[in-house]
Amino acid sequence: MTNTTAAHPDVSVLVPTYNVERYVAQCLDSLCAQTLENIEIICINDGATDGSAAILHDYANRDARIVVIDKENSGYGASLNRGMECARGAYLAIAEPDDFAERSMYATLYDFAQRYDCDVVKSNFYEYAEGRNRKNRNLQGYPMKTPFDPADQPRIICTIPSIWTGLYRTDMLKREGISFRETPGAAFQDTSFVLKTWFVAKRCVLVRKPLLHYRMDNPSSSVKTSDRIFVVCDELAESERFLRERPDRCEKFISWFHVDKWGKYRWNYERIDASCHEEFAERMRSEYACAFESGELVQSYFADGDWRAVTQLLDEGAASFAAHHLETF
């Protein structure tokens, strides 16, 4: 493939890359084979120490649509921000280098984006492990193939972030100042990005068909790490700050934001070391006490077990809560 990218690509695909030599060729093969040809593929080499960089440059030599940015290691968020600075496409997409896309993925998403003048288009995805796919119906229960304002479906912010299944209007991201937090490593940096896009997007379309293969068997994936226990808190604090600066949107989303935050805190609680549980529980207690006092918690929005856990934390305190909820709640 030697296509030359047009001056104004339809889609800019960012590929943040660090030590994934085992998988990145499969990812790039799937991008180069897209039926939507007017794309640019911006690969950001985040100071990889394995053979990833050589693979990126080899593909760039064979396909003029691929651009490689080499930089010192500074983390996932910083890499994506570098890519966003260079992106020329009408829409932005993000491809994890250990995942791979269906050939029709970006053509399908872009078709809906154009047809309905969308700010965001997202699809379902496959969970891929050991050569097998399992459909993840992340978007089940929401309107499909028809435009809607997320503020009219605010529970959608509680879906899996799946940043890599979407197209995001580049002008919207620039206008709203949406970028990635540049924290070290690769953990949770997609959280505030995805929430912010839901908060401000006015026209979205969802696609039922899974279009992305999300790899579940990469042992070095960031979801396998358990350090930096408060990173998720910082991401959500940034998301909340952004939302509260937009009062009309905040009114629609804030109660569901607390539901989504609880789910993310519960997941983080399970992955950190038990020695950190009380400290993390105290952070949760403080934040949910404020939300309760402000009247922003809506019991009916929470699953029964989650609401019981919230009230137990508020009533018992962090030490007692952590003692009784050693691994999960």
Side-chain angles (χ1 to χ4, degrees):
M1 176 72 73
T2 58
N3 298 51
T4 299
T5 308
H8 299 287
D10 297 327
V11 175
S12 296
V13 185
L14 309 186
V15 188
T17 304
Y18 179 74
N19 289 4
V20 282
E21 63 180 357
R22 180 178 175 184
Y23 307 113
V24 69
Q26 185 178 25
C27 174
L28 293 177
D29 284 341
S30 76
L31 299 182
C32 293
Q34 289 294 302
T35 55
L36 180 67
E37 294 187 358
N38 186 27
I39 63 175
E40 63 175 356
I41 303 165
I42 303 175
C43 301
I44 308 97
N45 166 32
D46 189 28
T49 58
D50 65 354
S52 298
I55 295 171
L56 297 181
H57 285 282
D58 178 58
Y59 273 79
N61 289 333
R62 290 186 276 137
D63 192 322
R65 299 172 301 172
I66 298 178
V67 176
V68 180
I69 299 172
D70 291 303
K71 58 186 277 293
E72 294 184 359
N73 180 260
S74 56
Y76 181 88
S79 294
L80 286 172
N81 286 341
R82 279 288 300 276
M84 288 175 67
E85 291 171 1
C86 300
R88 298 174 294 128
Y91 287 86
L92 189 82
I94 295 159
E96 302 287 349
D98 54 353
D99 300 337
F100 56 100
E102 292 283 298
R103 292 186 69 244
S104 63
M105 178 173 177
Y106 294 120
T108 301
L109 297 179
Y110 185 70
D111 178 66
F112 281 107
Q114 288 290 96
R115 190 186 312 175
Y116 296 112
D117 190 27
C118 291
D119 296 316
V120 173
V121 186
K122 297 194 80 170
S123 75
N124 279 312
F125 62 94
Y126 294 106
E127 295 176 352
Y128 178 83
E130 299 178 350
R132 298 182 179 181
N133 285 307
R134 185 176 75 87
K135 290 182 180 179
N136 185 304
R137 295 178 173 85
N138 183 38
L139 305 175
Q140 188 170 353
Y142 296 95
M144 293 288 162
K145 297 185 177 181
T146 184
F148 67 95
D149 185 335
D152 296 328
Q153 299 279 344
R155 188 170 62 92
I156 199 165
I157 68 172
C158 300
T159 56
I160 299 169
S162 60
I163 193 172
W164 13 263
T165 65
L167 292 186
Y168 310 92
R169 193 198 298 270
T170 305
D171 286 347
M172 177 193 73
L173 300 177
K174 292 179 179 178
R175 181 181 68 248
E176 301 290 346
I178 298 174
S179 60
F180 291 83
R181 295 184 68 246
E182 298 192 2
T183 46
F188 295 110
Q189 287 96 337
D190 60 344
T191 299
S192 62
F193 179 91
V194 170
L195 285 171
K196 288 175 181 179
T197 59
W198 286 131
F199 293 157
V200 300
K202 301 295 179 62
R203 291 177 67 82
C204 298
V205 165
L206 305 179
V207 179
R208 179 176 289 105
K209 182 180 178 181
L211 295 173
L212 189 282
H213 301 260
Y214 173 67
R215 189 178 299 277
M216 305 286 287
D217 56 359
N218 179 358
S220 62
S221 172
S222 63
V223 300
K224 305 294 195 302
T225 63
S226 61
D227 57 353
R228 301 190 299 277
I229 65 171
F230 292 115
V231 170
V232 66
C233 304
D234 297 336
E235 285 284 331
L236 288 164
E238 167 61 16
S239 304
E240 184 173 353
R241 178 204 62 77
F242 181 90
L243 179 59
R244 291 191 185 280
E245 288 180 347
R246 295 156 174 79
D248 57 326
R249 307 294 281 182
C250 186
E251 182 181 0
K252 300 282 190 178
F253 285 108
I254 192 61
S255 292
W256 282 109
F257 172 78
H258 294 304
V259 176
D260 179 60
K261 179 165 75 169
W262 186 261
K264 289 179 169 61
Y265 278 7
R266 182 182 61 199
W267 186 81
N268 191 61
Y269 186 94
E270 294 175 8
R271 72 197 282 269
I272 62 177
D273 190 82
S275 64
C276 302
H277 281 174
E278 183 177 341
E279 184 181 9
F280 191 76
E282 178 54 36
R283 175 75 174 255
M284 292 192 298
R285 188 208 61 77
S286 174
E287 294 182 10
Y288 276 83
C290 291
F292 182 82
E293 292 169 5
S294 68
E296 292 175 349
L297 300 186
V298 179
Q299 179 177 350
S300 62
Y301 289 179
F302 287 82
D304 290 343
D306 286 339
W307 183 254
R308 284 195 301 271
V310 171
T311 55
Q312 287 171 1
L313 176 61
L314 297 180
D315 292 343
E316 299 173 5
S320 178
F321 181 87
H324 289 95
H325 298 274
L326 297 179
E327 294 183 359
T328 183
F329 51 88

